[in-house]
Amino acid sequence: MFAKQRVLIVLLVLAIFCPRPVAAHPPSDVKLSYDAPTATLHIEVAHLAKNLREDGIRQLVIYKNDQELGRITVVRQTAPDSLTKDFSLEAIAGDAIRVRAISKRGGYLEQTIVIPLLTPLREEEKEQPLIEPLSEPLIEVDTGDSW
């Protein structure tokens, strides 16, 4: 009987004082947007990190049409709950841009966007104002002078 109690006490002490790995969790969201005029990919990663030295986003991997373009090693998240980065990237309509956000403690999340087709303005459209001025007034006001 005492042997079983000793084993239980030893197991209880080990469970309390032995370090346990913290469960790894991947980022909760990745949002991507592309600014064509500046050729910039804007990356926002939502990832809650209680200790920014030990937790947070470790690395961002950027792919264009399944070809790896670059890796951004992250020393520290920009905020305890998120990371924001910009990446210079030339892309054309139809290109698939994928970003993999990797957590320091393990786990990752990927997001992909496809660059939309942008129709450039024709030369005659560039010269014309977006809103044409009215040649005649829309509303005529009756002043009561004409009887």
Side-chain angles (χ1 to χ4, degrees), residues 22-27 47 54-58 101-109:
V22 175
H25 61 284
H47 182 70
E54 297 175 10
D55 195 6
I57 300 300
R58 173 174 53 96
I102 305 169
S103 173
K104 286 182 181 177
R105 293 200 176 181
Y108 67 90
L109 184 64

Side-chain angles (χ1 to χ4, degrees), residues 5-136:
Q5 287 177 344
R6 285 184 188 164
V7 170
L8 287 174
I9 290 173
V10 169
L11 290 176
L12 182 65
V13 169
L14 287 175
I16 292 173
F17 293 108
C18 286
R20 296 178 297 279
V22 175
H25 61 284
S28 58
D29 192 22
V30 176
K31 292 181 181 176
L32 306 175
S33 60
Y34 182 69
D35 184 25
T38 62
T40 303
L41 177 67
H42 183 71
I43 306 166
E44 294 181 31
V45 181
H47 182 70
L48 184 61
K50 293 180 182 176
N51 182 344
L52 292 178
R53 287 186 188 181
E54 297 175 10
D55 195 6
I57 300 300
R58 173 174 53 96
Q59 193 172 58
L60 298 172
V61 185
I62 295 96
Y63 301 89
K64 179 173 129 182
N65 300 326
D66 290 327
Q67 297 287 328
E68 184 177 318
L69 291 182
R71 292 175 178 257
I72 300 172
T73 300
V74 180
V75 177
R76 186 178 290 230
Q77 280 188 198
T78 52
D81 60 347
S82 65
L83 169 74
T84 303
K85 289 283 184 187
D86 288 332
F87 185 79
S88 294
L89 170 72
E90 292 288 335
I92 60 172
D95 282 344
I97 309 299
R98 178 170 44 106
V99 173
R100 175 183 284 188
I102 305 169
S103 173
K104 286 182 181 177
R105 293 200 176 181
Y108 67 90
L109 184 64
E110 290 184 350
Q111 186 63 265
T112 302
I113 61 168
V114 177
I115 305 302
L117 177 64
L118 300 174
T119 55
L121 293 175
R122 296 187 302 256
E123 287 302 318
E124 61 269 13
E125 292 175 329
K126 290 180 183 178
E127 295 171 2
Q128 295 178 358
L130 293 177
I131 299 174
E132 294 182 18
L134 296 173
S135 57
E136 298 176 13

